[in-house]
Amino acid sequence: MSAYVLGFEEIEKTKLMVVGGKGLNLGELSRVEGIQVPEGFCVTTEAYKRTVQQSKKFTELLNQLSLLMVEDRERIAEISENIRMVIEELGMAKNISEEIIRMHSELGREHAYAVRSSATAEDLPFASFAGQQDTYLNIIGSEALLEHIRKCWASLFTERAVIYRMQNGFDHSKVFLSVVIQRMVFPEASGIMFTADPVTFNRKVLSIDASFGLGETLVSGLVNPDNYKVRAGKIVEKTISTKKVAIYALTEGGTQEQEIEPNRQNKQTLTDEQIIQLEELGRKLEAYFSSPQDIEWCLFENTLYIVQSRPITTLFPMLDLNDGENRVYMSVGHQQMMTEAMKPLGISFFSFLSNSELNTAGGRLFFDLSHDLASPIGRKLILTTMGKNDPLVHNVISSLMERKDFIKALPKGKRMLTLGSEELTWSLPVKAIQAYRKNDIAIVQQLISESQESLKEVEQTIESFSGEELFDFIEQDHKQLKELLYDQQSLGVIMVGVYAVNWLNKKMEKWLGDKNAADTLSQSVPYNVTSEMGLALLDVSDVVRQYPAVISYFEEEKDEAFFKGLVKVEGGGTVADSLRTYLEKYGMRCTGEIDITRTRWSEQPTTLIPMILSNIKNFEPNARSKKFEQGRREAEEKAQDLLTRLEPLPGGKQKAKKTQKMISVLRNFIGYREYPKYSFISRYYIYKKALLKEATVLVQKGIISEKEDIYYLSFEELREVVRTNQLDYRMITERKEKYEFYEKLTPPRAMTSEGEVLFGQYNTDNIPEGALAGIPVSTGIIEGRARVVLKMEDANIEEGDILVTAFTDPSWTPLFVSVKGLVTEVGGLMTHGAVIAREYGLPAVVGVENATKLIKDGQRIRVNGSEGYVEIV
């Protein structure tokens, strides 16, 4: 077997680093029974390595390239061009060129060939490098073949290929190129087939693009191809496009664009029989490779040839559970305002809190709504609960309900949203009524006191446990945590607070035409632990502002030994005390905090520095009390204004009396809504610190490399590792790679068991043209500079900025103090960001799809928190 050339039939699964992704797939394809593949061979990566490594100039340029960042576009372009020139001018070793010419002769020098690149980082399950290197068609003769092999090698360093590798974390010096030499077929038609619908991700629907001539017409975008959708041997949808041109091969070599005769331009490219035949081939390849495939095909003399097959890398993964039933799953992350991927330990812990079984896909959690949707009562409950907070969920469910056959096929069983469930027993409304009648803030004080006592007890008790006993304790304590979270009195208080919000908004709009009145009435309410957290950081900022040396330290200091360095500068000891006091109460918080594995503020206090510096820049001293007092006064004035305007109305005195009671109920109870989450996140941090002590022991024993490795194990897997002191470390490595892939995915709001993703759409009839639609959650209109922030620690907020981000959980609250408005991609009327925006009096629109991509940092935008849209001004 040659080191420099391999025929397709010689390529085995172990040869990825020798022939690259494309070459490996062609080797596999040529062995699939019933699949016609044009014959050919691969010039191996060894040939590439031997050729380029003899050049000192190439090595020098490659070293220069490795020092650049993605932003250095001009230098990337310059160095890449120089590398390409060096490669194209390199001589090829005699034994390499002889091997290529020998294989070329065996296949027939008189034939035309396609010369394609096959990179070792190409066509792999988690990254598609499709189109990053060049392809040459209809190459005739040995000299032309050798020339175009060098051109293919050089195309590894096109500007787009270099940037793509940088963005996906591939080292240029470790990506090698094989070249595929494949006999040309001169097709009547060609195209691409996806064995899963590339738009909806439905695994049962196959999608075919087809046009006349060579596939380059389609790839280059010269024509709109026909599109056929096929499901289980039936064509379910056809789009026949007008195809004015095609690319055909020339007999002397090369290709030419030709106009299609007018009477063929609107003709269906493939017959129905050929479409069904192509689907069968697609399903056969999908089964062989055990994953959905992106397949290049062509039709020659009524035979369908497969030119290439690679995994589709853009699909959101299917759920682990696949019992053959038709099911609908709803995203937990969209409900919890945390749509980023979670690590296995985080998934385990959050799953413990649910009374319903949760399912995992793409590092995200989903709950099964199939039984609810199968029931008329269940559908109504979904629309009035989830759908009320999030119109996109409402639209998703409504559109599903229109698919009668789909709904009929859903399995029937115990519903998740049911008045008979643990979460919503009949005693809950009774507790809510009692809280409403008493209208006593002492109820909230008592609930908070009980929760704090429980936390203190856990913190003291957990110290005495280690090893297997620690896992037993955490498992048992979770039961108490669930009791606290689902406590009827606690849920009753929250229910009454939300009821008061809805009542006031509905009645004030009906009686006075005053929209979203509860927004202003909710400002500066007592016992809102999340809004208090944002205001408390203003006090810390006041301590910091007194010491210029501390401010300088903050502007340059990194995470390592933060407090140790802080106490060495003037005023550092005082600031450290203030910051530690803050962290004692709020240090368990962080972005994505429902994932126990996320780095907490106490673990990385420097996360708070940008917010502290922004506070110093944007506020005068003593801003906390001024800001709270201003909100309280605005709420009081709003209440008085409403009552004054109600009294002259028919039945005005009665309406005013009822409204006054509702305002009192709102202000007594709505702040508590944030507390249960604070409580369980506090408990999680206690668990986490205990588990990290166990992780330290595992590192000392050499079982794991670093403490954070435990995040890639489920709770039960970690328990077993602690018990046995055994672990196959490859599991950690594989899960780290998967997590990196999952991080890049955008999870859907809902998905079906067929993999179809459901995102939902807004009705945009009543908003200005070009505006971005969302959900109005905090009234008011504000115009200002958009500050697009993807990570809280990167925030640099100026006075008057509007925060634009993917989602906000409670940890983002300190930023709300400095901004004048809020736009998020995910959210609903009663989610944390919305509640705090109302309390701080910030106009806010949430659920704006792709806001962080459509709005550019620094653009001037207008946020309409009353009607629910954002305009780019």
Side-chain angles (χ1 to χ4, degrees):
M1 192 180 287
S2 167
Y4 301 122
V5 295
L6 288 174
F8 289 166
E9 68 286 350
E10 298 176 282
I11 297 169
E12 298 167 350
K13 285 182 179 179
T14 56
K15 301 289 184 185
L16 173 65
M17 299 310 290
V18 178
V19 297
K22 194 170 286 177
L24 190 75
N25 281 356
L26 281 165
E28 286 285 294
L29 279 172
S30 62
R31 282 195 289 278
V32 182
E33 194 178 335
I35 299 292
Q36 298 290 326
V37 181
E39 59 188 346
F41 65 97
C42 287
V43 180
T44 68
T45 54
E46 283 304 310
Y48 165 79
K49 285 185 213 174
R50 187 173 166 196
T51 304
V52 297
Q53 284 169 0
Q54 69 185 359
S55 168
K56 286 184 181 177
K57 183 68 175 169
F58 171 82
T59 306
E60 285 171 15
L61 289 167
L62 194 63
N63 289 338
Q64 290 176 32
L65 191 64
S66 67
L67 298 173
L68 299 180
M69 306 295 285
V70 176
E71 295 76 30
D72 305 321
R73 293 295 170 101
E74 285 186 20
R75 285 288 289 150
I76 289 171
E78 181 188 332
I79 294 173
S80 299
E81 186 179 6
N82 289 338
I83 292 176
R84 291 197 302 275
M85 286 168 62
V86 167
I87 293 173
E88 287 189 40
E89 290 167 8
L90 283 174
M92 202 182 283
K94 191 179 178 188
N95 58 341
I96 295 176
S97 58
E98 282 177 351
E99 284 288 312
I100 293 168
I101 290 167
R102 177 186 62 77
M103 187 66 88
H104 187 208
S105 300
E106 285 180 18
L107 292 178
R109 291 196 201 187
E110 71 279 8
H111 299 307
Y113 292 85
V115 180
R116 304 175 192 271
S117 65
S118 179
T120 51
E122 184 178 38
D123 298 340
L124 306 181
F126 295 156
S128 173
F129 277 60
Q132 295 304 318
Q133 284 79 48
D134 290 345
T135 292
Y136 302 96
L137 300 177
N138 206 25
I139 305 304
I140 297 173
S142 293
E143 281 306 311
L145 190 67
L146 295 173
E147 178 195 341
H148 284 88
I149 288 168
R150 282 194 297 272
K151 281 181 181 288
C152 252
W153 285 342
S155 75
L156 193 58
F157 293 92
T158 60
E159 189 180 343
R160 71 181 178 191
V162 167
I163 288 170
Y164 192 92
R165 285 199 294 274
M166 285 177 165
Q167 290 169 333
N168 286 276
F170 288 90
D171 184 338
H172 303 301
S173 65
K174 292 178 182 172
V175 177
F176 306 113
L177 202 75
S178 166
V179 179
V180 173
I181 314 296
Q182 191 170 25
R183 186 170 161 183
M184 283 281 291
V185 173
F186 298 101
E188 297 107 51
S190 51
I192 298 168
M193 164 169 54
F194 296 95
T195 63
D197 190 314
V199 178
T200 68
F201 296 179
N202 193 317
R203 308 306 201 268
K204 295 285 181 74
V205 177
L206 181 142
S207 179
I208 299 168
D209 285 349
S211 61
F212 296 119
L214 292 167
E216 297 309 296
T217 322
L218 191 153
V219 174
S220 61
L222 279 173
V223 297
N224 290 323
D226 288 356
N227 179 259
Y228 318 120
K229 298 280 173 76
V230 192
R231 183 184 175 111
K234 290 182 180 176
I235 301 168
V236 293
E237 191 181 315
K238 273 188 207 176
T239 305
I240 313 301
S241 300
T242 302
K243 302 164 286 292
K244 293 185 177 179
V245 293
I247 294 176
Y248 292 102
L250 299 171
T251 50
E252 66 274 17
T255 59
Q256 185 181 58
E257 184 183 316
Q258 293 178 19
E259 194 170 318
I260 295 172
E261 312 88 85
N263 63 336
R264 287 182 67 225
Q265 288 181 4
N266 293 303
K267 187 181 174 187
Q268 185 173 312
T269 308
L270 295 178
T271 65
D272 286 4
E273 188 183 349
Q274 288 166 340
I275 293 168
I276 299 302
Q277 190 184 345
L278 197 52
E279 186 218 13
E280 288 170 5
L281 296 178
R283 291 299 178 209
K284 182 177 283 191
L285 289 173
E286 182 180 60
Y288 182 85
F289 288 110
S290 302
S291 71
Q293 296 290 298
D294 165 359
I295 299 163
E296 295 173 32
W297 59 270
C298 59
L299 177 71
F300 177 62
E301 294 181 346
N302 210 32
T303 298
L304 286 162
Y305 289 86
I306 302 300
V307 182
Q308 185 54 258
S309 185
R310 63 174 74 89
I312 305 176
T313 59
T314 54
L315 300 173
F316 193 83
M318 296 272 280
L319 282 119
D320 297 338
L321 175 76
N322 191 359
D323 58 2
E325 294 274 17
N326 197 20
R327 294 186 179 274
V328 179
Y329 301 96
M330 195 65 70
S331 160
V332 171
H334 283 80
Q335 305 293 316
Q336 285 292 327
M337 302 307 100
M338 210 296 268
T339 54
E340 292 176 356
M342 295 172 74
K343 297 188 182 82
L345 191 63
I347 286 170
S348 282
F349 268 89
F350 194 78
S351 298
F352 287 154
L353 293 179
S354 176
N355 282 332
S356 307
E357 187 181 347
L358 299 178
N359 302 281
T360 313
R364 276 78 171 185
L365 286 164
F366 292 82
F367 49 85
D368 188 345
L369 277 183
S370 311
H371 296 155
D372 299 75
L373 284 170
S375 149
I377 296 171
R379 292 195 288 274
K380 193 171 181 181
L381 267 173
I382 291 170
L383 291 175
T384 54
T385 51
M386 296 178 197
K388 191 168 186 179
N389 282 340
D390 186 345
L392 290 180
V393 169
H394 193 286
N395 294 351
V396 163
I397 302 303
S398 298
S399 64
L400 277 176
M401 284 162 61
E402 289 170 14
R403 289 154 64 172
K404 304 295 183 192
D405 290 345
F406 182 90
I407 294 292
K408 278 181 188 173
L410 289 171
K412 291 179 172 58
K414 186 183 176 186
R415 300 197 309 272
M416 196 193 78
L417 296 177
T418 167
L419 293 175
S421 70
E422 273 185 74
E423 293 96 326
L424 289 171
T425 61
W426 283 111
S427 64
L428 175 54
V430 172
K431 291 289 184 186
I433 292 164
Q434 287 172 351
Y436 172 77
R437 284 178 177 162
K438 272 190 176 180
N439 189 23
D440 186 355
I441 204 162
I443 300 172
V444 170
Q445 293 165 338
Q446 180 64 28
L447 286 167
I448 290 173
S449 174
E450 288 169 4
S451 176
Q452 287 174 339
E453 284 302 314
S454 176
L455 277 172
K456 276 182 195 169
E457 190 183 334
V458 174
E459 199 159 24
Q460 288 166 3
T461 311
I462 204 168
E463 288 292 326
S464 58
F465 293 105
S466 63
E468 282 185 78
E469 288 183 344
L470 173 65
F471 289 84
D472 294 339
F473 172 79
I474 290 173
E475 195 170 46
Q476 285 304 311
D477 190 64
H478 249 101
K479 292 173 184 172
Q480 189 178 348
L481 173 56
K482 279 180 81 169
E483 282 176 18
L484 283 168
L485 287 177
Y486 295 121
D487 175 75
Q488 305 298 294
Q489 180 73 79
S490 175
L491 290 173
V493 166
I494 293 169
M495 182 185 268
V496 170
V498 173
Y499 172 71
V501 168
N502 293 334
W503 189 94
L504 286 162
N505 281 338
K506 186 178 174 183
K507 297 297 185 183
M508 294 310 100
E509 186 172 6
K510 181 182 175 184
W511 294 338
L512 298 173
D514 204 312
K515 215 171 181 184
N516 302 322
D519 292 1
T520 308
L521 296 169
S522 301
Q523 288 180 202
S524 299
V525 294
Y527 297 110
N528 185 323
V529 69
T530 308
S531 62
E532 285 169 1
M533 175 175 69
L535 295 172
L537 198 64
L538 288 170
D539 286 346
V540 177
S541 307
D542 280 349
V543 177
V544 175
R545 78 167 78 237
Q546 299 171 51
Y547 302 104
V550 172
I551 294 173
S552 300
Y553 178 79
F554 274 17
E555 285 169 344
E556 63 190 34
E557 186 48 37
K558 298 291 179 276
D559 293 323
E560 295 79 26
F562 169 71
F563 278 112
K564 197 180 284 185
L566 177 58
V567 295
K568 292 176 183 175
V569 303
E570 187 185 351
T574 308
V575 170
D577 289 344
S578 174
L579 195 51
R580 282 196 173 105
T581 301
Y582 181 85
L583 290 172
E584 275 174 28
K585 187 166 184 182
Y586 304 112
M588 80 297 292
R589 309 222 85 148
C590 65
T591 56
E593 62 189 12
I594 64 169
D595 181 350
I596 197 172
T597 70
R598 292 298 185 101
T599 305
R600 310 285 141 174
W601 291 346
S602 284
E603 296 170 310
Q604 193 173 26
T606 49
T607 305
L608 296 169
I609 285 177
M611 289 178 278
I612 292 171
L613 294 176
S614 285
N615 287 345
I616 293 168
K617 184 170 57 180
N618 296 329
F619 293 101
E620 295 294 320
N622 198 29
R624 176 187 185 162
S625 57
K626 288 175 187 171
K627 199 165 178 63
F628 187 83
E629 181 54 32
Q630 181 190 342
R632 192 196 61 74
R633 194 170 57 250
E634 285 176 10
E636 200 173 83
E637 287 168 1
K638 181 71 174 179
Q640 195 52 55
D641 172 61
L642 293 172
L643 297 174
T644 303
R645 287 159 60 201
L646 281 170
E647 286 200 355
L649 299 179
K653 285 194 176 178
Q654 193 59 34
K655 286 173 180 170
K657 188 179 177 184
K658 179 78 170 173
T659 301
Q660 191 168 23
K661 168 77 183 278
M662 279 300 181
I663 292 170
S664 175
V665 169
L666 169 77
R667 293 193 63 77
N668 278 339
F669 294 144
I670 198 64
Y672 176 73
R673 188 186 177 281
E674 293 293 304
Y675 196 84
K677 188 169 189 180
Y678 169 83
S679 176
F680 97 70
I681 295 299
S682 300
R683 217 174 189 99
Y684 268 22
Y685 188 42
I686 296 168
Y687 298 158
K688 183 183 186 182
K689 286 186 286 186
L691 289 172
L692 284 173
K693 284 181 186 175
E694 294 299 318
T696 303
V697 175
L698 293 175
V699 171
Q700 289 165 352
K701 290 179 178 178
I703 294 165
I704 56 176
S705 300
E706 54 188 5
K707 288 188 297 182
E708 291 75 17
D709 284 345
I710 66 168
Y711 299 161
Y712 297 92
L713 297 168
S714 71
F715 181 79
E716 287 302 329
E717 287 168 345
L718 179 56
R719 191 206 295 252
E720 189 64 11
V721 171
V722 168
R723 187 182 72 81
T724 62
N725 286 317
Q726 289 183 336
L727 171 70
D728 182 349
Y729 197 77
R730 286 174 300 181
M731 182 196 292
I732 303 290
T733 306
E734 285 168 13
R735 288 183 181 177
K736 283 182 178 179
E737 287 173 5
K738 271 192 173 181
Y739 179 76
E740 279 184 27
F741 169 60
Y742 292 157
E743 279 187 299
K744 296 170 187 171
L745 299 174
T746 301
R749 268 181 169 73
M751 67 190 296
T752 71
S753 49
E754 294 180 351
E756 181 183 357
V757 297
L758 307 161
F759 285 97
Q761 288 183 324
Y762 289 109
N763 179 358
T764 56
D765 294 347
N766 298 320
I767 69 170
E769 192 177 342
L772 307 176
I775 307 163
V777 294
S778 185
T779 195
I781 298 171
I782 191 75
E783 192 173 304
R785 180 179 65 164
R787 181 55 84 207
V788 179
V789 181
L790 300 179
K791 290 184 178 176
M792 196 176 70
E793 55 268 33
D794 297 337
N796 179 18
I797 302 296
E798 302 274 350
E799 177 67 25
D801 282 352
I802 295 168
L803 175 63
V804 180
T805 189
F807 63 84
T808 61
D809 54 16
S811 68
W812 286 75
T813 304
L815 271 184
F816 285 24
V817 174
S818 295
V819 298
K820 289 290 181 281
L822 173 70
V823 178
T824 69
E825 294 179 340
V826 179
L829 191 62
M830 293 310 295
T831 50
H832 297 278
V835 170
I836 303 306
R838 288 194 289 273
E839 174 149 346
Y840 284 177
L842 304 176
V845 179
V846 302
V848 180
E849 298 278 88
N850 298 310
T852 58
K853 298 182 183 74
L854 298 171
I855 299 171
K856 307 299 178 199
D857 189 56
Q859 278 184 327
R860 197 154 187 84
I861 61 172
R862 186 182 301 119
V863 177
N864 190 318
S866 306
E867 301 297 332
Y869 61 84
V870 181
E871 295 174 281
I872 297 169
V873 218

mmCIF file of all heavy atoms in Angstrom, residues 113-126:
data_model
loop_
_atom_site.group_PDB
_atom_site.id
_atom_site.type_symbol
_atom_site.label_atom_id
_atom_site.label_comp_id
_atom_site.label_asym_id
_atom_site.label_seq_id
_atom_site.Cartn_x
_atom_site.Cartn_y
_atom_site.Cartn_z
ATOM 1 N N TYR A 113 -11.315 14.489 -14.665
ATOM 2 C CA TYR A 113 -11.397 14.245 -13.223
ATOM 3 C C TYR A 113 -11.773 15.522 -12.458
ATOM 4 O O TYR A 113 -11.480 16.638 -12.896
ATOM 5 C CB TYR A 113 -10.055 13.715 -12.681
ATOM 6 C CG TYR A 113 -9.751 12.330 -13.195
ATOM 7 C CD1 TYR A 113 -9.121 12.154 -14.441
ATOM 8 C CD2 TYR A 113 -10.116 11.206 -12.477
ATOM 9 C CE1 TYR A 113 -8.866 10.879 -14.940
ATOM 10 C CE2 TYR A 113 -9.865 9.928 -12.963
ATOM 11 C CZ TYR A 113 -9.249 9.769 -14.190
ATOM 12 O OH TYR A 113 -9.011 8.516 -14.684
ATOM 13 N N ALA A 114 -12.407 15.300 -11.320
ATOM 14 C CA ALA A 114 -12.639 16.390 -10.363
ATOM 15 C C ALA A 114 -11.537 16.306 -9.315
ATOM 16 O O ALA A 114 -11.193 15.208 -8.861
ATOM 17 C CB ALA A 114 -13.999 16.231 -9.705
ATOM 18 N N VAL A 115 -10.962 17.443 -8.975
ATOM 19 C CA VAL A 115 -9.891 17.499 -7.970
ATOM 20 C C VAL A 115 -10.438 18.305 -6.789
ATOM 21 O O VAL A 115 -10.729 19.491 -6.904
ATOM 22 C CB VAL A 115 -8.622 18.163 -8.553
ATOM 23 C CG1 VAL A 115 -7.510 18.211 -7.507
ATOM 24 C CG2 VAL A 115 -8.149 17.425 -9.800
ATOM 25 N N ARG A 116 -10.585 17.628 -5.635
ATOM 26 C CA ARG A 116 -11.210 18.262 -4.473
ATOM 27 C C ARG A 116 -10.304 18.127 -3.242
ATOM 28 O O ARG A 116 -9.611 17.144 -3.092
ATOM 29 C CB ARG A 116 -12.560 17.589 -4.135
ATOM 30 C CG ARG A 116 -13.565 17.549 -5.253
ATOM 31 C CD ARG A 116 -14.802 16.751 -4.808
ATOM 32 N NE ARG A 116 -15.684 16.431 -5.905
ATOM 33 C CZ ARG A 116 -16.679 17.212 -6.325
ATOM 34 N NH1 ARG A 116 -16.903 18.359 -5.719
ATOM 35 N NH2 ARG A 116 -17.451 16.857 -7.329
ATOM 36 N N SER A 117 -10.404 19.101 -2.376
ATOM 37 C CA SER A 117 -9.639 19.057 -1.123
ATOM 38 C C SER A 117 -10.335 18.147 -0.123
ATOM 39 O O SER A 117 -11.546 17.957 -0.166
ATOM 40 C CB SER A 117 -9.538 20.459 -0.547
ATOM 41 O OG SER A 117 -10.830 20.906 -0.190
ATOM 42 N N SER A 118 -9.554 17.604 0.808
ATOM 43 C CA SER A 118 -10.114 16.808 1.915
ATOM 44 C C SER A 118 -9.246 17.059 3.145
ATOM 45 O O SER A 118 -8.206 16.431 3.321
ATOM 46 C CB SER A 118 -10.118 15.317 1.550
ATOM 47 O OG SER A 118 -10.629 14.555 2.622
ATOM 48 N N ALA A 119 -9.673 18.005 3.986
ATOM 49 C CA ALA A 119 -8.874 18.387 5.153
ATOM 50 C C ALA A 119 -9.101 17.429 6.311
ATOM 51 O O ALA A 119 -10.166 16.837 6.445
ATOM 52 C CB ALA A 119 -9.219 19.815 5.578
ATOM 53 N N THR A 120 -8.093 17.290 7.170
ATOM 54 C CA THR A 120 -8.234 16.389 8.324
ATOM 55 C C THR A 120 -9.216 16.947 9.341
ATOM 56 O O THR A 120 -9.643 16.240 10.240
ATOM 57 C CB THR A 120 -6.875 16.156 9.009
ATOM 58 O OG1 THR A 120 -6.273 17.422 9.266
ATOM 59 C CG2 THR A 120 -5.975 15.324 8.137
ATOM 60 N N ALA A 121 -9.573 18.220 9.239
ATOM 61 C CA ALA A 121 -10.576 18.802 10.153
ATOM 62 C C ALA A 121 -11.891 19.021 9.430
ATOM 63 O O ALA A 121 -12.711 19.818 9.847
ATOM 64 C CB ALA A 121 -10.063 20.121 10.715
ATOM 65 N N GLU A 122 -12.087 18.286 8.334
ATOM 66 C CA GLU A 122 -13.248 18.538 7.477
ATOM 67 C C GLU A 122 -14.275 17.418 7.616
ATOM 68 O O GLU A 122 -13.927 16.262 7.838
ATOM 69 C CB GLU A 122 -12.753 18.596 6.019
ATOM 70 C CG GLU A 122 -13.813 18.953 5.007
ATOM 71 C CD GLU A 122 -13.204 19.029 3.600
ATOM 72 O OE1 GLU A 122 -12.327 18.207 3.277
ATOM 73 O OE2 GLU A 122 -13.631 19.899 2.853
ATOM 74 N N ASP A 123 -15.558 17.789 7.477
ATOM 75 C CA ASP A 123 -16.649 16.817 7.420
ATOM 76 C C ASP A 123 -16.686 15.899 8.657
ATOM 77 O O ASP A 123 -16.920 14.701 8.557
ATOM 78 C CB ASP A 123 -16.576 15.960 6.149
ATOM 79 C CG ASP A 123 -16.710 16.837 4.913
ATOM 80 O OD1 ASP A 123 -17.221 17.961 5.055
ATOM 81 O OD2 ASP A 123 -16.298 16.402 3.832
ATOM 82 N N LEU A 124 -16.428 16.510 9.822
ATOM 83 C CA LEU A 124 -16.497 15.770 11.080
ATOM 84 C C LEU A 124 -17.818 16.093 11.762
ATOM 85 O O LEU A 124 -18.420 17.121 11.486
ATOM 86 C CB LEU A 124 -15.318 16.149 11.978
ATOM 87 C CG LEU A 124 -13.932 15.986 11.303
ATOM 88 C CD1 LEU A 124 -12.836 16.352 12.289
ATOM 89 C CD2 LEU A 124 -13.731 14.561 10.833
ATOM 90 N N PRO A 125 -18.283 15.242 12.695
ATOM 91 C CA PRO A 125 -19.622 15.423 13.260
ATOM 92 C C PRO A 125 -19.893 16.791 13.859
ATOM 93 O O PRO A 125 -20.998 17.280 13.814
ATOM 94 C CB PRO A 125 -19.676 14.333 14.348
ATOM 95 C CG PRO A 125 -18.762 13.271 13.863
ATOM 96 C CD PRO A 125 -17.663 13.978 13.140
ATOM 97 N N PHE A 126 -18.881 17.466 14.461
ATOM 98 C CA PHE A 126 -19.149 18.721 15.165
ATOM 99 C C PHE A 126 -18.684 19.963 14.413
ATOM 100 O O PHE A 126 -18.790 21.061 14.917
ATOM 101 C CB PHE A 126 -18.502 18.705 16.555
ATOM 102 C CG PHE A 126 -19.096 17.674 17.465
ATOM 103 C CD1 PHE A 126 -18.371 17.162 18.531
ATOM 104 C CD2 PHE A 126 -20.383 17.197 17.259
ATOM 105 C CE1 PHE A 126 -18.921 16.216 19.372
ATOM 106 C CE2 PHE A 126 -20.939 16.246 18.095
ATOM 107 C CZ PHE A 126 -20.205 15.758 19.149
#
